[in-house]
Amino acid sequence: MVTETRDLRGIPLWLVREYLVELGGAAQSEQHVIGPGWEVRLSQLADFQIGSLRIGEIRMEVTAQADIMPELKARLDRKLIRAGG
């Protein structure tokens, strides 16, 4: 198993969780999704701020079998790149 952590800005936690469910995961809680050979823990971070601009930020910790991590990341990235992916 390998683990990768990524901070995401400008996308709400609930939407990332929905994307993970669309990729075959089952939501165990608001912040925990388990899929075949992988699991993801999500946590809300303090808003990222530049001057008066504030952007929501979450942390995504993905643990997966080494052989499926590249495909999982690629599929998730396609969803994260465009809204409504």
Side-chain angles (χ1 to χ4, degrees), residues 13-70:
L13 188 144
W14 67 266
L15 186 55
V16 175
R17 184 182 61 245
E18 186 175 302
Y19 288 165
L20 293 165
V21 169
E22 290 173 5
L23 293 176
Q28 304 299 298
S29 70
E30 192 173 301
Q31 299 177 320
H32 186 209
V33 180
I34 296 178
W38 56 268
E39 73 176 282
V40 176
R41 294 200 180 271
L42 303 168
S43 53
Q44 188 71 49
L45 301 175
D47 287 351
F48 180 76
Q49 186 169 351
I50 300 174
S52 62
L53 177 66
R54 298 180 78 127
I55 301 171
E57 187 170 18
I58 64 170
R59 178 160 290 149
M60 178 175 68
E61 183 178 286
V62 180
T63 302
Q65 296 170 357
D67 59 328
I68 64 171
M69 181 67 93

